Amino acid sequence: MKIEHLQGLISAPFTPFDSHGKLDVSLIPPYYAFLKRNGITGAFINGSTGEGVSISVEEKKAVAQAWADCSNHDTDFKVMVFLGGTCLTDCIDLAQHAYEIGLYAVSLTAPFYFKPGNVDTLAEICIKVGESVPNMPLYYYHIPVLTGVNIPMYDLVRALDGKLPNFAGVKYTHEDFMDFQSCMSYENGKFDMLWGRDENMLSALVLGAKGAVGSTFNYAAPLYYDLIDAFNNNDLVKARALQQKSIDMIRFLGKYGGISVGKAYMKLVGHDLGGFRLPVKNMSAEQFELFKKDVAGLNFDTFKSK
């Protein structure tokens, strides 16, 4: 399989729920159109931002089908589906479903309850799932802050090279730049390394990253495309200022409750996708009003997606 190196901003979409917490896939077609309008080149669905670990297998399939229905005609928009990691039977079932409905790629992470103790075990897991969809790219999702599995990706890349032909690369959501650069350089850039930390994208651009997956791209894509343009034009003063603007925006996630705050930002750009499911807490109506005032202080309207 020829490995494609994806470029641009790939959104990690939120899973839309109604006011009762039920899945509402009718919101996905306008969501896709909104992302396209803002230059987004793909979607990483059912991941951390999409609450993939909090929705059922049936719901994951419904989300995947809805994204396939509205985007499969679009060769410039790649949809990658996160499979999970704790139950390999479910991962294989979801991978085969993704292939059957025509999505671009699948991704899995390390099991985070019974954790793999070494790189060979992790590679075996990837191979088992990848071999179930041999004609579909498979990406490993490296996010040790949530999985507790911090095996160097350079070791995993070497362990899978030549053993899993459809292994495409890594969605790298970690701050180990030495490891990331080693993966980028492996075999003259053989594998596709997608950056996954919005708040330090500039550092990844310096190392040669061309594609990134992030949650804040949902509602602030213009900010990041301006950052990329500034970097490409060697205007590092502007690029650093824009990265700081990203950091300031992301700080509010911590101030108002974490990952669920992303859906509050989505309300500010005209897309009410409901709340997050437990155990993630949502902000109160009073907190939302305070949040809106804080966000206005960032001049959010000057760089938000529209």
Side-chain angles (χ1 to χ4, degrees):
M1 174 180 293
K2 187 180 186 301
I3 296 169
E4 184 173 350
H5 285 61
L6 305 182
Q7 297 191 21
L9 302 181
I10 299 167
S11 168
F14 300 92
T15 295
F17 300 121
D18 65 18
S19 59
H20 302 290
K22 300 288 187 182
L23 183 66
D24 186 358
V25 297
S26 71
L27 299 176
I28 289 177
Y31 196 170
Y32 157 73
F34 171 74
L35 296 178
K36 281 289 293 184
R37 192 162 62 247
N38 284 279
I40 297 297
T41 61
F44 185 93
I45 64 173
N46 294 341
S48 305
T49 304
E51 299 178 79
V53 295
S54 300
I55 60 178
S56 69
V57 169
E58 290 73 20
E59 288 174 318
K60 290 177 184 180
K61 288 182 177 180
V63 170
Q65 184 68 64
W67 280 99
D69 289 344
C70 65
S71 71
N72 272 4
H73 68 283
D74 188 349
T75 58
D76 296 323
F77 191 90
K78 303 289 195 298
V79 178
M80 185 185 312
V81 60
F82 177 60
L83 308 172
T86 53
C87 177
L88 293 188
T89 301
D90 285 349
C91 287
I92 290 170
D93 179 32
L94 289 166
Q96 292 174 337
H97 175 260
Y99 179 71
E100 290 166 1
I101 64 175
L103 297 185
Y104 172 71
V106 294
S107 178
L108 81 159
T109 195
F112 42 85
Y113 189 87
F114 295 127
K115 298 178 177 65
N118 54 59
V119 68
D120 291 334
T121 303
L122 183 56
E124 184 178 356
I125 291 166
C126 293
I127 291 169
K128 190 175 183 67
V129 176
E131 286 181 340
S132 72
V133 282
N135 297 312
M136 192 175 204
L138 178 138
Y139 286 79
Y140 179 75
Y141 181 11
H142 185 47
I143 186 165
V145 68
L146 292 181
T147 63
V149 178
N150 196 9
I151 292 169
M153 288 297 96
Y154 182 64
D155 293 346
L156 181 64
V157 164
R158 290 191 300 168
L160 290 175
D161 190 16
K163 295 181 181 176
L164 183 62
N166 56 324
F167 173 62
V170 179
K171 177 186 181 290
Y172 200 100
T173 308
H174 190 38
E175 295 79 20
D176 188 340
F177 289 101
M178 180 182 75
D179 184 42
F180 182 72
Q181 181 170 349
S182 296
C183 293
M184 290 277 292
S185 303
Y186 180 78
E187 293 291 330
N188 296 312
K190 179 177 181 179
F191 294 109
D192 188 20
M193 299 296 298
L194 299 173
W195 186 250
R197 280 278 188 234
D198 308 1
E199 61 269 36
N200 48 28
M201 177 194 282
L202 180 57
S203 300
L205 294 175
V206 172
L207 298 180
K210 300 297 184 184
V213 181
S215 62
T216 64
F217 305 161
N218 283 291
Y219 45 82
L223 171 66
Y224 293 97
Y225 276 125
D226 285 349
L227 189 161
I228 293 169
D229 287 344
F231 173 77
N232 288 338
N233 292 324
N234 203 32
D235 189 348
L236 298 184
V237 172
K238 181 178 181 180
R240 288 193 295 267
L242 291 168
Q243 184 68 86
Q244 186 60 54
K245 183 70 73 173
S246 159
I247 292 168
D248 294 342
M249 179 180 64
I250 289 169
R251 285 192 196 282
F252 288 145
L253 273 68
K255 180 176 180 179
Y256 286 97
I259 194 169
S260 65
V261 178
K263 281 190 170 179
Y265 273 113
M266 290 301 291
K267 286 183 182 180
L268 298 184
V269 295
H271 291 263
D272 187 347
L273 304 173
F276 263 65
R277 288 182 174 174
L278 288 172
V280 177
K281 295 291 289 181
N282 297 288
M283 68 175 70
S284 66
E286 294 77 12
Q287 287 175 316
F288 182 63
E289 292 306 313
L290 294 172
F291 167 76
K292 287 196 294 185
K293 292 179 181 178
D294 270 350
V295 174
L298 293 177
N299 295 317
F300 182 62
D301 284 346
T302 64
F303 59 81
K304 70 180 183 181
S305 300
K306 298 177 181 178

